[in-house]
Amino acid sequence: MISKREAHLLSTLNVASPRFYQWIAFLLAIVLWGLYAYVHQLRHGLIVTGMRDEVSWGLYITNFVFFIGISHAGTLISAILRVTETEWRRPITRLAEAITVFALCIGAPMVIIDLGRPDRMLNLFRYGRIQSPILWDVLSVSTYLTGCILYLYLPMIPDFALLAEQSSLGAWRRRLYKKLSLGWTGSATQWTLLERAISIMAVVIIPLAISVHTVVSWIFAMTLRPGWNSSIFGPYFVVGAIYSGAAAVIFSMFVLRRVLRLQDYLEPVHFRNLGLLLLSFAMLYLYFNINEYLTMGYKFEGIEKEYLTRLFFGDYAPMFWTVQAIGVFLPLLLLIAVLGLRSHKSLTIPGVALASFLAIIGAWAKRYLIVVPTLSSPFLPGQRIPWEWTHYRPTWVEWSVTAAAIAIFLLIYGLFSKLFPMVSIWETREPEPAMTEAAPAASPSSNWGSISSISVILLTLSLAAGTAHAGESPKPRKPAPTALSLEWQALPSDKLSASSAEDGPPDSFTAGRVQNGLSQLFGHLSFGSKNAENETPPSVISLKATLKDASGAPVAMQPVSFSLRTSFGLVQYGSRPTNEEGKAELIVRDHRYGKYPLLVAYGGDDSFGGARAEIPVDFGARPAPALPTAGVLIAPYATAAIGLPFVMFYGFMWLVFIYAFGYLILWRMRRSDRDKQPH
Amino acid sequence: MTLPRRSFFQFLARGTGAIVASWAVVKGISATVFREVLPARSVAPTNQKWVMVIDLAKCDGCRDCTRACGAMHFVPPMQEWVKVFEVVDNPAAGRYFLARPCMQCDNPPCVRGCPVGATFKRTDGIVMMDQERCIGCRNCIAQCPYSARAFNWGEPPHTAAELSQPYSMEYNYPHRKGVVEKCIFCPHMLREGKLPACAQGCKMGAVYFGDEMEDGVTNSKGETIPFTKIAKRGAAFRLLEELGTEPRVYYLPPASRKYPTPDEKKALEMHS
């Protein structure tokens, strides 16, 4: 039942050399040191890192993007090869899928390490806003991690059953394998169900993987910053991720082949085929790099000028050009030489492995160059701030945590290789039944709507004020008492457009704005649109002040000053002279809403005394309080246009997981033998 | 392919029925999930729309606004909620000073990007910041094109006066580690009918503040001008208008300055 090469594979689980323990101890030491650094950071805050207000994301976010990128190829390559029924994939699928799962397990917590308040992490679930790219990340990475764990686990089930019967393994391990095998007996029904579950997972994991790195890139692309504000970022990140991930798969193949002596399984053909894949992705990545930087560099304009200057010629230039050389050009040339030239055929394995190693190093540095230079070239470059704020240098804490992250990755991968066979035993033993199903991916739909025209409400209220009582005062020397009365009237607002050429056209900034959203289906959802429609055009107010002396006779040719009391002060309208009827008129065309006290005053002169009057003037009702229509996505609650595509896409994925694993495996496969029903 | 006509029509009818039914279900769910009513904290105490106008012709770069703001909010050292930039637009142009509070954008990128709603827009136009909800992811800092946000990287040094009051979102102190802070137009001052600290503290009277719906903005000297008039006649501009953030802070161009230029100042000092 167990062939010779399988016996060797099984022995890798049993035998551990002293060098393995040394390696584990070494990694553990690094992890402990990183843990110390993280506790130090928790105690003192992020002040112990090199990040400051200018460059507020650094090594941690770099690591996050890097590890999510590394996680990409494993599952994706395995899924594509499974769907296309490529036979040579069999020995490499498991080690590739394991990379994915562990890279995700390291990458996702990097964001939590970067948080200023990790203790409030659960706020993401309590108050989560689907409009935020951070929440998209939470959604996509958690879905992807679940999917990848299932996709790694499903093909391991037959191997668990096989391992549970190996008497050479320890009793506790056999019990563990027995548990994990979920009652696998290898009956025809079970095989059908397992194959079905695996093929369903393989199909859905492909769009899921593509979506995850696109979403990761959107954290950056959804900002206005130079270098990030780019619509190509999604595919650029996906290609970069697959490139670095393929490199990681090849490099781990190389290491496992040497360490576990898996030459029988991992043959040169695997390195050659994956090397060709790496070569094509290196060229694709080169194309994306050229596309990204040439379109910016050709124009060399605006805010991107400063950014590109630093990247191409300035302080980031040495790193930028080194990364382009080591990360893209050198692997490209190496792969062409090793795979293309017949004379170098013997060097295929070390050559491809070296190219992969360079690509991994380059990928990490490229992530750093994506995160940091953009943040250090803001729209308003900081002034009078310390030099270190704009020139980010990671501190020992960040380097320690990064080293620990890599160490944990290697540690888990190493322990996994000792606990579980890194090459699928059953898959490398017999041909696999054909694939059956294909599931379509959900696609977001959107609709455009417009807000309707502004309705006009005009208030025509008028108030009348009483006039002063009579009195006699013929003495010319002593100033005669005067009385002021004031009345106001709202004029029709069409007079506004006719008479106010100076003021320009009436404001139309709310009417012209196109609103985003599924307005037909969710017309009631867009915030503030109704209030914008109700916004009244400002009233034109005509003010008439009447100045009379004590006898009631009008006082002519005297200046009367008008002013209006607002929250913080008086708006002065200046003075108007009274006419023969003692009346002074002022027309106010301010964009004002609400009721305000209007003051009118007469300073008096030698013959007349001063007078003042105050009446409330209504400039029309204020629009109801509302959030500005300009910010469609700032609503405090979920927005349908953004929320639905994400919820539907990842919700669909969860449904598929529940079907493939929960129903097919846990429900039907486990019971199939218990019922003893022949199939 | 042989498909009976009848079953084809049956298929069509069923499909239409299914679409209509799912439409109704989705609409029902969406009406409950995507609510319309604003939460209480998004509704401002008064129905006003705050707006700020900064006259660059009057700003001589003395940074009194920064100091007044720092004193009022006990802003931790190395943070400046109102920052004064020295700007030279091109090699030929003279330099001028530009005070940059938070722009309180009407289309705020920070609010869009906040994963937990710790920063949110209020109906009076203020972009508020809740330090009790912030998780410190700093996405808002990455989003803000005006660099108007600061982060408490370590435990900020405290003063007794700062700690004497309970935390309030309206004045954003006592300060705490690991959260983002920014200018919030002093809502606790506006409640009392007073100008924000920076507008009050500006000796040059360069900072005007008021209610857009009241159409009046007032500076520290008590000068009140209709906002529409000052914005239109003064050809007011907004910072980085091309980004579409729709700030609530307007600037009057630094033309015909009302203060000695830095070079003139130097010359004056040398004479005296």
Side-chain angles (χ1 to χ4, degrees):
Chain A
M1 171 162 184
I2 298 274
S3 71
K4 198 179 162 196
R5 73 171 192 168
E6 280 167 8
H8 170 71
L9 185 61
L10 287 174
S11 77
T12 62
L13 301 178
N14 247 347
V15 184
S17 62
R19 280 177 69 186
F20 175 74
Y21 289 113
Q22 283 167 16
W23 173 239
I24 295 294
F26 171 68
L27 290 178
L28 269 177
I30 296 177
V31 172
L32 284 176
W33 177 252
L35 205 65
Y36 166 73
Y38 182 57
V39 170
H40 180 75
Q41 178 188 305
L42 279 181
R43 280 183 58 197
H44 297 95
L46 290 168
I47 190 95
V48 298
T49 67
M51 296 184 278
R52 289 298 178 267
D53 285 350
E54 293 286 310
V55 184
S56 61
W57 282 342
L59 229 50
Y60 297 147
I61 297 292
T62 305
N63 292 339
F64 167 70
V65 181
F66 171 74
F67 276 111
I68 301 284
I70 287 290
S71 83
H72 256 62
T75 298
L76 199 62
I77 290 174
S78 151
I80 290 172
L81 296 182
R82 244 189 244 275
V83 169
T84 53
E85 292 182 50
T86 312
E87 285 307 309
W88 58 265
R89 67 151 207 277
R90 294 173 183 281
I92 63 164
T93 47
R94 181 160 306 155
L95 64 90
E97 289 153 17
I99 287 183
T100 297
V101 172
F102 302 140
L104 278 175
C105 289
I106 305 304
M110 272 297 158
V111 190
I112 298 163
I113 290 173
D114 186 63
L115 286 186
R117 296 299 296 252
D119 52 316
R120 296 185 185 164
M121 205 177 67
L122 289 177
N123 279 5
L124 282 171
F125 302 100
R126 275 177 77 190
Y127 306 112
R129 288 175 74 250
I130 195 70
Q131 293 95 319
S132 168
I134 305 280
L135 216 75
W136 305 344
D137 260 18
V138 173
L139 201 60
S140 67
V141 172
S142 58
T143 309
Y144 187 49
L145 180 59
T146 312
C148 288
I149 289 174
L150 293 180
Y151 187 62
L152 171 69
Y153 177 68
L154 288 179
M156 284 172 85
I157 291 174
D159 278 1
F160 285 136
L162 192 102
L163 288 169
E165 289 160 11
Q166 297 303 311
S167 52
S168 59
L169 299 169
W172 69 269
R173 284 175 74 168
R174 283 163 62 193
R175 268 204 301 281
L176 175 72
Y177 294 140
K178 185 87 196 153
K179 269 257 159 58
L180 289 172
S181 69
L182 301 176
W184 175 266
T185 55
S187 71
T189 323
Q190 285 189 331
W191 274 114
T192 321
L193 290 169
L194 184 71
E195 294 290 355
R196 198 149 160 222
I198 292 175
S199 55
I200 289 173
M201 290 301 296
V203 169
V204 295
I205 217 104
I206 296 170
L208 184 58
I210 303 280
S211 85
V212 169
H213 220 67
T214 309
V215 167
V216 167
S217 85
W218 283 348
I219 288 192
F220 305 105
M222 294 297 164
T223 67
L224 299 160
R225 300 245 176 190
W228 288 355
N229 188 356
S230 156
S231 59
I232 205 179
F233 248 41
Y236 183 31
F237 267 50
V238 169
V239 167
I242 298 174
Y243 176 54
S244 69
V249 170
I250 295 173
F251 194 68
S252 77
M253 269 163 57
F254 176 73
V255 172
L256 289 174
R257 189 175 188 263
R258 293 288 293 267
V259 175
L260 301 180
R261 296 193 178 78
L262 296 175
Q263 281 89 343
D264 289 342
Y265 286 96
L266 304 171
E267 290 165 61
V269 63
H270 296 115
F271 287 89
R272 189 175 169 78
N273 287 347
L274 284 178
L276 286 171
L277 183 78
L278 191 69
L279 176 62
S280 58
F281 269 93
M283 289 195 276
L284 203 55
Y285 194 53
L286 180 64
Y287 154 75
F288 268 100
N289 270 322
I290 291 171
N291 190 347
E292 175 73 5
Y293 290 110
L294 189 66
T295 48
M296 277 197 284
Y298 184 84
K299 290 168 280 184
F300 206 62
E301 52 86 49
I303 184 63
E304 275 153 4
K305 198 160 138 188
E306 158 80 13
Y307 163 73
L308 289 175
T309 311
R310 289 181 78 175
L311 208 57
F312 290 168
F313 320 109
D315 44 352
Y316 291 111
M319 190 172 177
F320 178 77
W321 295 114
T322 313
V323 165
Q324 295 295 355
I326 287 182
V328 186
F329 282 104
L330 221 57
L332 203 60
L333 295 176
L334 204 59
L335 288 168
I336 290 173
V338 171
L339 300 170
L341 301 178
R342 214 166 260 262
S343 51
H344 292 68
K345 216 176 168 187
S346 57
L347 290 172
T348 299
I349 293 177
V352 170
L354 180 62
S356 305
F357 183 70
L358 293 177
I360 294 171
I361 301 295
W364 187 88
K366 186 76 201 356
R367 304 299 181 272
Y368 180 87
L369 282 176
I370 286 172
V371 174
V372 174
T374 286
L375 282 170
S376 50
S377 322
F379 286 91
L380 302 176
Q383 293 177 353
R384 302 180 304 121
I385 50 175
W387 188 84
E388 307 86 63
W389 285 32
T390 46
H391 296 75
Y392 171 66
R393 288 275 175 282
T395 59
W396 68 268
V397 176
E398 288 165 282
W399 284 121
S400 307
V401 171
T402 305
I406 296 167
I408 293 175
F409 177 75
L410 296 174
L411 192 65
I412 306 178
Y413 204 67
L415 292 177
F416 184 83
S417 74
K418 283 288 150 195
L419 202 54
F420 306 111
M422 288 307 276
V423 172
S424 177
I425 298 172
W426 67 271
E427 275 194 288
T428 50
R429 182 186 278 170
E430 67 210 335
E432 199 183 334
M435 294 290 142
T436 47
E437 292 203 15
S443 70
S445 62
S446 72
N447 217 332
W448 291 87
S450 63
I451 48 171
S452 58
S453 60
I454 294 173
S455 65
V456 177
I457 303 167
L458 192 71
L459 290 163
T460 46
L461 296 165
S462 69
L463 284 167
T467 50
H469 63 277
E472 285 281 320
S473 171
K475 282 184 211 164
R477 285 284 150 243
K478 197 183 173 195
T482 54
L484 260 176
S485 68
L486 184 62
E487 57 187 47
W488 68 276
Q489 191 189 5
L491 300 180
S493 69
D494 56 357
K495 217 178 163 185
L496 169 79
S497 47
S499 66
S500 63
E502 175 208 38
D503 288 353
D507 282 358
S508 58
F509 57 90
T510 44
R513 186 158 296 281
V514 179
Q515 268 196 320
N516 196 347
L518 298 154
S519 66
Q520 282 193 331
L521 182 55
F522 309 105
H524 63 288
L525 302 170
S526 41
F527 265 87
S529 59
K530 273 182 238 161
N531 300 302
E533 284 158 25
N534 291 344
E535 205 168 287
T536 49
S539 336
V540 182
I541 304 288
S542 159
L543 297 157
K544 281 200 183 81
T546 316
L547 185 65
K548 287 177 177 169
D549 64 11
S551 64
V555 181
M557 299 309 288
Q558 295 294 338
V560 172
S561 63
F562 296 87
S563 56
L564 179 130
R565 195 192 306 280
T566 65
S567 309
F568 301 112
L570 288 176
V571 177
Q572 304 285 354
Y573 289 107
S575 320
R576 295 287 182 280
T578 52
N579 57 13
E580 291 89 60
E581 295 165 11
K583 282 187 173 159
E585 192 181 4
L586 173 79
I587 292 180
V588 178
R589 287 202 188 86
D590 289 353
H591 290 240
R592 184 173 292 123
Y593 305 96
K595 237 176 196 177
Y596 299 91
L598 207 127
L599 294 93
V600 58
Y602 168 58
D605 62 1
D606 291 348
S607 43
F608 296 105
R612 45 189 291 125
E614 180 180 331
I615 58 161
V617 174
D618 197 343
F619 284 81
R622 278 176 183 252
L627 293 183
T629 38
V632 179
L633 296 178
I634 62 170
Y637 294 128
T639 313
I642 292 286
L644 281 184
F646 280 95
V647 171
M648 278 162 69
F649 182 79
Y650 292 108
F652 171 75
M653 293 294 163
W654 280 96
L655 288 181
V656 172
F657 298 165
I658 290 168
Y659 173 74
F661 187 69
Y663 175 67
L664 287 181
I665 301 297
L666 287 185
W667 184 257
R668 281 186 62 189
M669 196 194 84
R670 277 174 81 184
R671 276 148 203 268
S672 62
D673 267 25
R674 224 180 281 166
D675 302 342
K676 293 273 178 231
Q677 278 174 355
H679 188 75
Chain B
M1 199 173 98
T2 54
L3 186 71
R5 185 166 293 179
R6 196 161 158 197
S7 65
F8 177 69
F9 281 123
Q10 234 171 24
F11 165 77
L12 272 190
R14 277 182 195 162
T16 317
I19 288 170
V20 169
S22 52
W23 182 282
V25 169
V26 167
K27 187 142 196 181
I29 292 172
S30 72
T32 51
V33 172
F34 304 109
R35 276 172 294 175
E36 201 181 1
V37 185
L38 286 173
R41 61 189 207 141
S42 293
V43 180
T46 53
N47 182 13
Q48 282 164 305
K49 289 250 183 246
W50 303 115
V51 68
M52 188 180 271
V53 180
I54 299 177
D55 190 350
L56 298 181
K58 288 184 189 162
C59 177
D60 68 346
C62 66
R63 300 195 167 86
D64 277 346
C65 49
T66 311
R67 278 188 287 276
C69 169
M72 170 164 295
H73 298 280
F74 306 101
V75 174
M78 302 306 290
Q79 275 189 34
E80 285 178 343
W81 291 3
V82 180
K83 197 173 176 72
V84 179
F85 288 88
E86 202 172 337
V87 186
V88 182
D89 280 332
N90 57 62
R95 75 187 58 161
Y96 61 92
F97 295 96
L98 186 137
R100 185 237 50 207
C102 169
M103 297 289 147
Q104 319 287 352
C105 308
D106 270 355
N107 185 13
C110 52
V111 173
R112 235 186 285 153
C114 181
V116 293
T119 191
F120 59 95
K121 186 82 178 168
R122 228 164 60 164
T123 51
D124 60 356
I126 298 180
V127 174
M128 297 290 282
M129 183 67 220
D130 184 353
Q131 274 84 16
E132 292 193 318
R133 194 186 277 193
C134 176
I135 58 170
C137 69
R138 308 192 295 293
N139 190 31
C140 53
I141 296 184
Q143 291 274 356
C144 180
Y146 303 99
S147 308
R149 288 173 163 267
F151 188 74
N152 281 327
W153 296 94
E155 186 66 39
H158 297 290
T159 61
E162 173 204 349
L163 293 174
S164 65
Q165 299 216 45
Y167 170 81
S168 164
M169 237 190 283
E170 297 213 337
Y171 41 76
N172 270 0
Y173 63 80
H175 302 275
R176 43 190 98 190
K177 185 174 82 175
V179 291
V180 172
E181 300 183 339
K182 71 173 194 82
C183 152
I184 43 170
F185 271 4
C186 301
H188 63 299
M189 298 290 285
L190 303 179
R191 251 181 212 277
E192 298 167 18
K194 289 183 191 156
L195 289 174
C198 53
Q200 236 169 37
C202 181
K203 286 198 200 86
M204 299 291 287
V207 182
Y208 294 83
F209 186 87
D211 177 8
E212 192 184 349
M213 297 215 264
E214 209 168 82
D215 204 9
V217 284
T218 310
N219 67 2
S220 60
K221 296 180 172 172
E223 294 164 359
T224 305
I225 310 173
F227 166 70
T228 43
K229 201 167 281 174
I230 194 173
K232 271 189 184 123
R233 299 226 176 119
F237 67 93
R238 298 188 287 190
L239 211 52
L240 302 173
E241 178 76 60
E242 66 273 20
L243 298 179
T245 50
E246 317 248 339
R248 299 201 68 77
V249 177
Y250 293 76
Y251 289 94
L252 299 179
S256 47
R257 283 175 210 158
K258 297 172 179 72
Y259 62 91
T261 65
D263 296 336
E264 285 167 0
K265 252 185 209 164
K266 203 176 276 175
L268 281 172
E269 277 163 21
M270 280 174 71
H271 276 287
S272 62

